[in-house]
Amino acid sequence: MKAWFKPRNAASGGTDTGRRGVLRGLAGTVGGGLLALGGARTAQAQDELAFPGEDPEAKVLYQLNRNEPEYQGHILHSASVVLQNYDNNAAIVVECFGPGIHLLLKEPQSPVEPDVRERIQSLASYDVKFHACGETLKSLGLGEEALIDEATYVASGVVDMVELQNDEGYTYVAW
C-alpha cells in the first residue's frame, strides 16, 4: 500500500521532509553513523511508505545468548543491515537470554562494552525490540526492574522465540 502523500526529494526539486528523510539526516549523527540508512533501495521504493500497523516487509528474530562483545557486535550490525536493506520497513527482535541477558541489565554482572549499549539505544530508536528472558532473570535473582529502558520483559525467551516464529512469521537467525 502506498502512502496518500509522497515526500519531496532532491530529484523533484524539493527537500525530503518525510520520515525516511529525517531518519537519513539523523543517521549521520547518531552513534557515529551506525546505521547508514537509505541508498540501498531505489528512489521509487523509498517513496512507498508504510503506515503504522501494516505488516513490515521482513520480520527477523535474532538469538543473542552470549556475553562476548564481538559476537554481540555482529548481531547488532546484522540488524542494522536488515534495517538499511528494507528502508526501516522491517520488524526486528533480538532475544536475549543466558549470558546474553547482561546486555540488557542496568547493572550487568558481566562487563558490557559502552559502544554496544550505544548501538542498542540507536537500534531501539528504529523500533528494534530487545526481549529479555524472565527465566534467565529469575535464575540471577533479578526482576523486570533490573532491565534497561530499551528492554522488553518476556516470561521465557525460548517460548517467545517459538511464538514469534509460529504465530507472527518471524525468520529465526542464530549466530
Side-chain angles (χ1 to χ4, degrees), residues 101-110 112 117 137 142-151:
I101 198 75
H102 296 283
L103 194 66
L104 302 180
L105 297 178
K106 290 177 186 172
E107 296 180 24
Q109 297 173 3
S110 295
V112 174
R117 278 287 167 87
L137 289 171
L142 300 172
E144 198 171 336
E145 70 284 347
L147 298 172
I148 61 174
D149 292 339
E150 294 80 12

Short mmCIF file of all heavy atoms in Angstrom, two decimals, residues 101-110 112 117 137 142-151:
data_model
loop_
_atom_site.label_atom_id
_atom_site.label_comp_id
_atom_site.label_asym_id
_atom_site.label_seq_id
_atom_site.Cartn_x
_atom_site.Cartn_y
_atom_site.Cartn_z
N ILE A 101 21.86 -11.94 28.51
CA ILE A 101 20.95 -11.07 29.26
C ILE A 101 21.68 -9.85 29.84
O ILE A 101 21.08 -8.80 30.03
CB ILE A 101 20.21 -11.85 30.38
CG1 ILE A 101 18.96 -11.09 30.85
CG2 ILE A 101 21.13 -12.11 31.57
CD1 ILE A 101 17.83 -11.15 29.91
N HIS A 102 22.97 -10.00 30.11
CA HIS A 102 23.74 -8.90 30.72
C HIS A 102 23.71 -7.64 29.86
O HIS A 102 23.79 -6.52 30.37
CB HIS A 102 25.18 -9.33 31.01
CG HIS A 102 25.24 -10.43 32.02
ND1 HIS A 102 25.08 -10.21 33.37
CD2 HIS A 102 25.39 -11.77 31.86
CE1 HIS A 102 25.14 -11.36 34.01
NE2 HIS A 102 25.33 -12.32 33.11
N LEU A 103 23.55 -7.82 28.59
CA LEU A 103 23.45 -6.72 27.65
C LEU A 103 22.28 -5.79 27.99
O LEU A 103 22.33 -4.59 27.73
CB LEU A 103 23.22 -7.32 26.25
CG LEU A 103 23.38 -6.49 25.02
CD1 LEU A 103 24.83 -6.07 24.85
CD2 LEU A 103 22.92 -7.30 23.82
N LEU A 104 21.24 -6.34 28.61
CA LEU A 104 20.02 -5.58 28.89
C LEU A 104 19.85 -5.21 30.35
O LEU A 104 18.80 -4.69 30.73
CB LEU A 104 18.80 -6.38 28.40
CG LEU A 104 18.80 -6.75 26.92
CD1 LEU A 104 17.54 -7.54 26.58
CD2 LEU A 104 18.93 -5.52 26.05
N LEU A 105 20.85 -5.46 31.16
CA LEU A 105 20.75 -5.14 32.59
C LEU A 105 21.29 -3.74 32.88
O LEU A 105 22.33 -3.34 32.34
CB LEU A 105 21.52 -6.16 33.42
CG LEU A 105 21.02 -7.60 33.37
CD1 LEU A 105 21.93 -8.49 34.22
CD2 LEU A 105 19.58 -7.69 33.83
N LYS A 106 20.60 -3.01 33.75
CA LYS A 106 21.07 -1.69 34.19
C LYS A 106 22.44 -1.83 34.84
O LYS A 106 23.32 -0.99 34.63
CB LYS A 106 20.09 -1.06 35.18
CG LYS A 106 18.79 -0.63 34.58
CD LYS A 106 17.85 -0.09 35.66
CE LYS A 106 16.48 0.21 35.09
NZ LYS A 106 15.51 0.54 36.15
N GLU A 107 22.59 -2.87 35.65
CA GLU A 107 23.86 -3.13 36.33
C GLU A 107 24.30 -4.56 35.99
O GLU A 107 24.06 -5.49 36.75
CB GLU A 107 23.69 -2.96 37.83
CG GLU A 107 23.34 -1.53 38.22
CD GLU A 107 23.17 -1.35 39.72
OE1 GLU A 107 23.73 -2.14 40.50
OE2 GLU A 107 22.47 -0.40 40.09
N PRO A 108 24.94 -4.71 34.82
CA PRO A 108 25.32 -6.06 34.39
C PRO A 108 26.30 -6.72 35.36
O PRO A 108 27.14 -6.05 35.95
CB PRO A 108 25.98 -5.84 33.03
CG PRO A 108 26.05 -4.39 32.81
CD PRO A 108 25.36 -3.69 33.91
N GLN A 109 26.15 -8.02 35.52
CA GLN A 109 27.04 -8.78 36.39
C GLN A 109 28.28 -9.24 35.63
O GLN A 109 29.19 -9.80 36.21
CB GLN A 109 26.28 -9.96 37.00
CG GLN A 109 25.15 -9.50 37.88
CD GLN A 109 24.26 -10.63 38.36
OE1 GLN A 109 24.50 -11.80 38.09
NE2 GLN A 109 23.21 -10.28 39.09
N SER A 110 28.29 -9.02 34.33
CA SER A 110 29.44 -9.23 33.45
C SER A 110 29.62 -7.96 32.64
O SER A 110 28.65 -7.27 32.35
CB SER A 110 29.19 -10.40 32.49
OG SER A 110 29.07 -11.62 33.20
N VAL A 112 29.83 -5.09 29.92
CA VAL A 112 29.19 -4.79 28.64
C VAL A 112 29.89 -3.55 28.09
O VAL A 112 30.01 -2.54 28.78
CB VAL A 112 27.67 -4.52 28.81
CG1 VAL A 112 27.05 -4.06 27.50
CG2 VAL A 112 26.96 -5.75 29.35
N ARG A 117 26.14 -0.68 24.21
CA ARG A 117 24.97 0.00 24.79
C ARG A 117 24.48 1.12 23.87
O ARG A 117 23.28 1.30 23.66
CB ARG A 117 25.29 0.59 26.16
CG ARG A 117 25.21 -0.41 27.29
CD ARG A 117 23.74 -0.74 27.58
NE ARG A 117 23.61 -1.90 28.43
CZ ARG A 117 23.64 -1.87 29.74
NH1 ARG A 117 23.78 -0.75 30.39
NH2 ARG A 117 23.52 -2.99 30.42
N LEU A 137 16.44 -14.01 34.08
CA LEU A 137 16.45 -13.03 35.17
C LEU A 137 16.21 -13.71 36.51
O LEU A 137 16.89 -13.43 37.50
CB LEU A 137 15.40 -11.94 34.92
CG LEU A 137 15.68 -10.97 33.80
CD1 LEU A 137 14.46 -10.10 33.53
CD2 LEU A 137 16.89 -10.11 34.11
N LEU A 142 16.99 -11.72 39.75
CA LEU A 142 16.61 -10.37 39.32
C LEU A 142 15.18 -10.35 38.80
O LEU A 142 14.64 -11.37 38.41
CB LEU A 142 17.56 -9.89 38.21
CG LEU A 142 19.04 -9.81 38.57
CD1 LEU A 142 19.87 -9.51 37.34
CD2 LEU A 142 19.27 -8.76 39.65
N GLY A 143 14.62 -9.16 38.77
CA GLY A 143 13.28 -8.98 38.23
C GLY A 143 13.29 -8.00 37.08
O GLY A 143 14.35 -7.49 36.67
N GLU A 144 12.12 -7.70 36.60
CA GLU A 144 11.93 -6.81 35.46
C GLU A 144 12.56 -5.42 35.68
O GLU A 144 13.03 -4.79 34.75
CB GLU A 144 10.43 -6.69 35.22
CG GLU A 144 10.02 -6.19 33.90
CD GLU A 144 8.52 -6.31 33.68
OE1 GLU A 144 7.84 -7.14 34.31
OE2 GLU A 144 8.03 -5.52 32.86
N GLU A 145 12.58 -4.98 36.92
CA GLU A 145 13.11 -3.65 37.24
C GLU A 145 14.61 -3.53 36.99
O GLU A 145 15.16 -2.43 36.91
CB GLU A 145 12.79 -3.27 38.70
CG GLU A 145 13.55 -4.07 39.75
CD GLU A 145 13.03 -5.50 39.98
OE1 GLU A 145 11.93 -5.83 39.52
OE2 GLU A 145 13.76 -6.28 40.62
N ALA A 146 15.30 -4.65 36.81
CA ALA A 146 16.75 -4.66 36.57
C ALA A 146 17.09 -4.33 35.11
O ALA A 146 18.26 -4.14 34.78
CB ALA A 146 17.34 -6.01 36.93
N LEU A 147 16.08 -4.22 34.26
CA LEU A 147 16.31 -4.04 32.83
C LEU A 147 16.47 -2.58 32.43
O LEU A 147 15.86 -1.69 33.02
CB LEU A 147 15.15 -4.64 32.03
CG LEU A 147 14.93 -6.14 32.20
CD1 LEU A 147 13.64 -6.57 31.52
CD2 LEU A 147 16.12 -6.91 31.65
N ILE A 148 17.27 -2.36 31.38
CA ILE A 148 17.39 -1.02 30.81
C ILE A 148 16.08 -0.66 30.11
O ILE A 148 15.25 -1.53 29.82
CB ILE A 148 18.58 -0.93 29.82
CG1 ILE A 148 18.40 -1.90 28.65
CG2 ILE A 148 19.90 -1.17 30.55
CD1 ILE A 148 19.47 -1.77 27.56
N ASP A 149 15.90 0.62 29.83
CA ASP A 149 14.65 1.10 29.23
C ASP A 149 14.36 0.47 27.87
O ASP A 149 13.20 0.32 27.49
CB ASP A 149 14.67 2.62 29.09
CG ASP A 149 14.62 3.33 30.43
OD1 ASP A 149 14.18 2.70 31.44
OD2 ASP A 149 15.02 4.51 30.49
N GLU A 150 15.38 0.13 27.13
CA GLU A 150 15.20 -0.41 25.78
C GLU A 150 14.75 -1.87 25.77
O GLU A 150 14.40 -2.41 24.72
CB GLU A 150 16.50 -0.28 24.97
CG GLU A 150 16.93 1.13 24.67
CD GLU A 150 17.62 1.84 25.83
OE1 GLU A 150 18.00 1.18 26.83
OE2 GLU A 150 17.78 3.07 25.76
N ALA A 151 14.77 -2.52 26.92
CA ALA A 151 14.44 -3.94 27.01
C ALA A 151 12.95 -4.15 27.27
O ALA A 151 12.30 -3.36 27.94
CB ALA A 151 15.24 -4.60 28.12
#
